[in-house]
């Protein structure tokens, strides 16, 4: 890790975690940690360029096939790659194939950028995590090995207890809240060598336990609005990302494009950026 980092460009690839769900803006679009990170990097580097190619629901094979080449073609200073967790949550998962596809993605991206960033994704506490924990930890162990071989940085979100706090997860129990995305942005910012602005690992205040009736209402809402549709997609082989492309990706040409702040002196949120 270098201190006083100076990077001129960032490309983010992955699934819904990097796309930004559930950090929703007033216009209905998503922001998320990658957009927050890009805005902060742009604030200290004039002419900064950014592209987010992540798409919700994507498996690691789709990320390797659909996003990695487009990201590599941009030759950015920094690439963030977060993928494979959706695979581990499938009822049937060939971890050997997941590892091989992750290798493929890293081998495309690492030579094309100055700094590759990988992550050990955060995980909520509860029975779902416990069921899939062995697969997740196998994935994270492989990520550590890839980072060592390719000179990549690893952001250990899995090892931060605060990111398991249910208050940092949206009602769908699959995606971080705006506060959760803010903490991830700070974690990547620090890992890249920028000066810390806050302690992203700091625990939240002691929770006030909701009443039994409130918990049952929340459980029923979760099952109706999120769990049942998620199971339906798994059974029919569909994905929430079917037919979608990354925010800075042109499906007609199969190429990615940069966005940059409209005003170099005041980059602001990514929604205030324009296409190059």
């Amino acid at each position: 890790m270098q201190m006083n980092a100076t990077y001129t460009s960032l490309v983010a690839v992955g699934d819904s975690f990097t796309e930004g769900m559930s950090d929703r803006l007033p216009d209905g679009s998503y922001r998320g940690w990658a957009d927050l990170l890009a805005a902060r990097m742009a604030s200290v580097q004039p002419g900064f360029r950014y592209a987010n190619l992540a798409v919700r629901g994507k498996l690691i094979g789709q990320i390797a096939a659909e996003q990695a080449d487009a990201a590599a073609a941009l030759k950015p200073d920094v690439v963030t790659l977060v993928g494979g967790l959706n695979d581990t949550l499938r009822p049937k998962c060939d971890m050997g194939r997941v590892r091989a596809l992750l290798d493929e993605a890293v081998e495309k991206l690492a030579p094309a950028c100055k700094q590759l960033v990988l992550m050990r994704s955060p995980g909520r506490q509860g029975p779902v995590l416990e069921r899939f924990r062995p697969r997740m930890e196998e994935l994270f162990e492989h990520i550590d090995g890839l980072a060592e071989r390719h000179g990549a940085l690893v952001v250990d979100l899995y090892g931060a207890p605060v990111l398991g706090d249910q208050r940092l997860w949206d009602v769908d129990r699959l995606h971080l809240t705006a506060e959760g995305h803010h903490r991830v942005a700070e974690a990547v910012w620090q890992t890249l060598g920028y000066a810390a602005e806050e302690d992203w690992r700091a625990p939240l205040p002691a929770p006030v336990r909701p009443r039994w009736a409130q918990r049952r209402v929340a459980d029923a809402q979760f099952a109706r609005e999120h769990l049942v549709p998620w199971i339906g997609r798994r059974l029919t082989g569909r994905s929430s990302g079917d037919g979608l492309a990354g925010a800075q990706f042109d499906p007609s040409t199969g190429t990615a494009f940069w966005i940059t702040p409209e005003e170099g002196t005041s980059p602001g949120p990514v929604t205030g950026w324009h296409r190059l």
Side-chain angles (χ1 to χ4, degrees), residues 61-187:
Q62 295 170 307
I63 293 170
E66 300 169 9
Q67 299 177 28
D69 287 329
L74 292 174
K75 298 189 180 302
D77 281 356
V78 179
V79 172
T80 63
L81 166 62
V82 188
L85 199 62
N86 282 336
D87 298 78
T88 68
L89 298 177
R90 295 291 174 115
K92 295 181 180 179
C93 174
D94 181 347
M95 287 302 298
R97 183 171 183 271
V98 171
R99 293 194 303 271
L101 290 167
L102 187 59
D103 290 352
E104 178 185 331
V106 168
E107 288 164 4
K108 289 179 178 180
L109 294 169
C113 67
K114 293 181 180 179
Q115 184 61 68
L116 178 63
V117 178
L118 306 175
M119 290 191 199
R120 294 160 60 93
S121 303
R124 280 196 54 169
Q125 301 300 321
V128 174
L129 176 64
E130 291 306 317
R131 176 181 178 185
F132 297 106
R133 187 187 295 274
R135 291 180 184 174
M136 294 170 61
E137 294 187 346
E138 180 180 347
L139 175 67
F140 299 155
E141 182 178 355
H142 189 65
I143 286 171
D144 289 343
L146 278 173
E148 184 175 354
R149 292 196 298 275
H150 293 274
L153 299 173
V154 177
V155 185
D156 186 14
L157 304 176
Y158 184 69
V162 68
L163 292 179
D165 192 309
Q166 64 180 356
R167 290 171 291 174
L168 291 181
W169 294 80
D170 195 37
V171 293
D172 66 1
R173 305 182 183 181
L174 287 173
H175 301 106
L176 291 170
T177 61
E179 171 64 16
H181 280 284
H182 177 83
R183 286 176 179 253
V184 173
E186 177 68 24

Side-chain angles (χ1 to χ4, degrees), residues 58 101 122 159 187 199 237 270:
K58 294 300 183 182
L101 290 167
D199 181 7
V270 171

Side-chain angles (χ1 to χ4, degrees), residues 171-225:
V171 293
D172 66 1
R173 305 182 183 181
L174 287 173
H175 301 106
L176 291 170
T177 61
E179 171 64 16
H181 280 284
H182 177 83
R183 286 176 179 253
V184 173
E186 177 68 24
V188 184
W189 170 267
Q190 293 181 21
T191 300
L192 283 170
Y194 294 97
E197 296 188 3
E198 59 186 270
D199 181 7
W200 63 272
R201 297 180 182 85
L204 298 176
V208 176
R209 184 171 176 80
R211 296 179 179 178
W212 181 89
Q214 292 175 308
R215 298 199 302 273
R216 297 293 77 78
V217 169
D219 289 343
Q221 179 185 7
F222 162 70
R224 181 178 65 254
E225 298 180 6

